Amino acid sequence: MAVPRILDSLRGAATEAGGALLGRLQHVRLPGLGQSSTTEDPETAARRWRAVTVLCSPEQVGTGADLPAPLAALGDRVELRITPAPGDRGTELAARYRDRPSDDDLRALRSALRESKQLIEVGEVLRVDPAPHGVRRPTPQGAALEGMTRRAGGEGVL
Amino acid sequence: MRAATWTGVNEVSVETVPDPQILNDHDVILRVRRTTTCGSDLHLLGGYIPFMRVGDVLGHEFMGEVVEVGRGVRERKVGDRVVVNSFIACGHCWYCRQELYSLCDNGNPNPGITESLWGQSPGGCFGYSHAMGGWAGSHAEYVRVPYADVGAFVVPEEVSDERALFASDAVSTGWMGADLAGTKPGDVVAVWGAGGVGQMAARAAMLLGAERVYVIDRLPERLAQVREHVGAETIDYSRTDVLAELREVTGGRGPDVCIEAVGMEAHSSGIQGAYDQVKQQLRLQTDRPSAVREAILACRKGGSVFVLGVFALMVDKFPLGALMNKGLTVRGAQVHGQRYMPRILEHMARGELTTEHLATHVMPLEEAPRGYRMFKDKTDGCVRSVFVP
């Protein structure tokens, strides 16, 4: 294999590793740091409701085909819970899969909730790319970070 | 266009990059007139915030002229001379409605990174790594400004570019610290750090009615600026025991309000300084918090400590016992600048807030690498390097 192909392959692996690392980051528990309670088994964690609070009335979230497009696209695979938030904080919009979701499914749900919130509150989904930048000299750290940012809209503790 | 980019640890280059485009209806494109280095950039430069990619455009404190507007923009128009807050906030979410703009739910397109680090994601920031959204910075000929009706403020005619520039971050951050720390008429306020933010926190405390204000640093040229341009008193921590001095000048009480404007690369002497340096270099702690520790120990019982300096993750040897037993209120935030900028620009227009002295080195954008070197090494009395694209 030619050297450039090996380097390309290594960069691809670093990008994948960066994305995967971000996916695992919120579950990392180092002794003496951060969360003191137990972590749940993957089955229980995957079944949790994932929720955003949207500054609107419950009616403005909509139902069925009137839901914001990113949530409507998930169809019947997800169930929704729409309840007023306490203290005039808006509406709690929660969703979870009816069946056992994959990691990709969960990323899609997180993105859909975040994008739906933006559509209701602001009217559009914020875009950052393409952003001006200089020459991206290929480095393992850069490739890993690219993997992280590709997945960052669908990862996190949501 | 030309832009100053991060090209490696402590390495800045100026290169040709694509022009920014309108991507959302609420965007404007700004022709940058002035853009400045900020102490928090040094954490990025030094590799302490490991979410920078080679080629990222730096800069988050800037002003300029609107040259293009998105179709959803209502309040700004082509030709407006505006100063833009460094944090990107939508203006519509619950946090923005509480005027906690840097906590905006919608301004950071990469929430997965910061949620994983901190539990929740704050808003986005121009030119401040992919953890804060991956937004291109302002050290460029042009910059895209999302949510422009919320974050871009028209500069009054009588305010110069050099003065307005610092409303973007240094003044609004300093003002926020003094305000949210609860500064009241008659208070004694101590500020750690005599950089742009520290100086402006001191000035804001005075305008909010503080009776006496002390600014702590070790750099003689910065302390001289505090005395000459801000009108506060100074303490050189390399020559004076700060805790003893503050006790003495406050009748043994300690300051009512303590504002930390130093951040994660704080200098300190003796064993503490060596300890923090070693732990940070070994990645056993991410930040050096010596100024925060001292502020907590100095503060009077029941007083208020505000953390303005940027911190990344974890610190060690934090005086939690002092915090709890003295009944302190400790608060921190990135800048909620949109809340303060209209008032700041009014003060600037009346001549009550002057900032031109902070721009000790004004130079063309092409000289950004030199400007950052001087700013980092604090050579030639550099307080801020300001770039003119």
Side-chain angles (χ1 to χ4, degrees):
Chain A
M1 190 183 277
V3 171
R5 285 184 60 196
I6 295 173
L7 290 176
D8 275 350
S9 168
L10 288 174
R11 277 193 293 274
T15 304
E16 280 305 307
L21 175 65
L22 181 60
R24 298 275 76 85
L25 196 57
Q26 61 260 34
H27 306 299
V28 171
R29 300 284 174 262
L30 297 176
L33 290 178
Q35 186 172 322
S36 55
S37 58
T38 185
T39 50
E40 292 172 340
D41 63 89
E43 179 90 18
T44 306
R47 281 288 299 155
R48 275 199 176 276
W49 291 95
R50 294 169 198 281
V52 290
T53 301
V54 189
L55 193 57
C56 69
S57 67
E59 295 73 34
Q60 286 173 282
V61 175
T63 53
D66 295 332
L67 283 167
L71 267 183
L74 297 177
D76 288 340
R77 277 200 68 201
V78 297
E79 53 183 325
L80 296 180
R81 192 174 67 187
I82 300 169
T83 49
D88 294 327
R89 282 168 173 77
T91 296
E92 294 173 2
L93 169 58
R96 66 178 176 185
Y97 284 95
R98 297 177 196 279
D99 52 4
R100 170 77 191 267
S102 66
D103 286 348
D104 283 344
D105 291 333
L106 289 175
R107 276 193 283 278
L109 181 56
R110 291 190 194 100
S111 291
L113 284 167
R114 288 170 176 146
E115 290 179 3
S116 297
K117 174 179 161 70
Q118 286 191 46
L119 287 168
I120 297 168
E121 289 183 338
V122 191
E124 59 180 343
V125 175
L126 195 58
R127 289 177 57 195
V128 68
D129 291 321
H133 63 77
V135 174
R136 297 279 199 218
R137 198 171 63 236
T139 64
Q141 185 192 344
L145 189 51
E146 185 176 331
M148 277 195 187
T149 52
R150 268 188 207 161
R151 287 199 192 178
E155 288 292 357
V157 297
L158 175 61
Chain B
M1 66 174 180
R2 300 291 282 168
T5 59
W6 184 83
T7 44
V9 173
N10 292 322
E11 197 182 299
V12 175
S13 302
V14 178
E15 53 187 321
T16 300
V17 309
D19 287 354
Q21 313 164 29
I22 298 257
L23 296 178
N24 284 103
D25 288 350
H26 298 98
D27 293 350
V28 303
I29 302 292
L30 213 66
R31 184 176 68 78
V32 179
R33 290 166 66 111
R34 297 288 186 279
T35 177
T36 179
T37 57
C38 170
S40 61
D41 289 338
L42 299 179
H43 314 324
L44 299 177
L45 250 63
Y48 292 102
I49 296 177
F51 297 102
M52 292 292 286
R53 287 197 67 190
V54 170
D56 283 346
V57 181
L58 292 161
H60 60 263
E61 188 164 5
F62 62 103
M63 57 83 59
E65 181 186 336
V66 176
V67 294
E68 192 180 351
V69 298
R71 61 184 180 178
V73 176
R74 296 287 174 267
E75 309 289 329
R76 303 291 165 258
K77 60 183 189 306
V78 170
D80 281 352
R81 188 172 65 112
V82 297
V83 55
V84 178
N85 191 255
S86 53
F87 261 73
I88 295 164
C90 74
H92 295 278
C93 69
W94 185 82
Y95 290 99
C96 286
R97 293 294 167 88
Q98 308 305 306
E99 297 189 301
L100 301 170
Y101 291 96
S102 77
L103 305 179
C104 174
D105 272 340
N106 298 317
N108 184 348
N110 294 332
I113 298 175
T114 37
E115 277 186 16
S116 299
L117 295 172
W118 303 326
Q120 275 89 25
S121 174
C125 182
F126 292 96
Y128 212 80
S129 89
H130 292 266
M132 302 305 278
W135 298 103
S138 59
H139 294 343
E141 292 178 86
Y142 298 94
V143 63
R144 171 188 167 215
V145 177
Y147 305 137
D149 281 338
V150 181
F153 294 83
V154 173
V155 178
E157 231 172 72
E158 54 271 46
V159 178
S160 68
D161 286 1
E162 284 72 20
R163 185 173 294 184
L165 166 64
F166 295 101
S168 172
D169 192 329
V171 187
S172 47
T173 301
W175 196 290
M176 178 191 72
D179 180 45
L180 296 187
T183 305
K184 298 184 299 297
D187 277 351
V188 178
V189 175
V191 180
W192 276 257
V197 171
Q199 289 194 31
M200 292 302 114
R203 185 65 191 144
M206 294 168 77
L207 290 169
L208 289 168
E211 180 109 357
R212 273 178 280 157
V213 178
Y214 298 90
V215 178
I216 300 146
D217 206 301
R218 69 192 160 96
L219 299 170
E221 63 275 13
R222 295 187 179 201
L223 294 173
Q225 282 197 340
V226 169
R227 291 188 295 271
E228 187 178 341
H229 297 283
V230 177
E233 297 176 58
T234 59
I235 300 172
D236 178 346
Y237 74 81
S238 67
R239 295 164 180 269
T240 306
D241 180 331
V242 172
L243 296 179
E245 180 75 7
L246 287 173
R247 270 197 302 272
E248 186 177 324
V249 298
T250 58
R253 300 184 308 278
D256 302 287
V257 170
C258 294
I259 300 172
E260 186 273 352
V262 178
M264 64 192 289
E265 293 180 74
H267 292 264
S268 57
S269 53
I271 291 172
Q272 179 184 216
Y275 174 86
D276 280 333
Q277 282 279 4
V278 168
K279 286 208 78 167
Q280 190 178 42
Q281 294 309 316
L282 293 175
R283 302 297 186 257
L284 294 172
Q285 67 176 1
T286 54
D287 311 71
R288 303 199 301 261
S290 51
V292 181
R293 291 187 190 119
E294 195 165 71
I296 286 173
L297 293 173
C299 195
R300 75 155 166 83
K301 292 183 285 186
S304 174
V305 176
F306 203 96
V307 181
L308 284 179
V310 170
F311 289 87
L313 198 59
M314 296 283 183
V315 300
D316 196 3
K317 303 290 178 288
F318 186 77
L320 191 58
L323 186 161
M324 184 271 162
N325 288 288
K326 293 205 298 179
L328 301 182
T329 300
V330 179
R331 194 169 176 180
Q334 295 277 10
V335 62
H336 309 313
Q338 292 86 341
R339 174 172 178 166
Y340 299 103
M341 286 167 76
R343 180 176 181 178
I344 286 167
L345 289 168
E346 284 173 19
H347 280 293
M348 286 180 159
R350 289 199 296 267
E352 295 161 350
L353 252 174
T354 57
T355 58
E356 289 86 343
H357 66 280
L358 298 175
T360 50
H361 296 77
V362 180
M363 59 190 76
L365 178 65
E366 293 293 326
E367 294 184 35
R370 181 176 73 91
Y372 266 106
R373 263 197 312 279
M374 293 180 71
F375 180 56
K376 179 179 169 58
D377 298 338
K378 301 175 176 59
T379 51
D380 194 33
C382 184
V383 176
R384 287 291 184 95
S385 294
V386 173
F387 308 130
V388 184

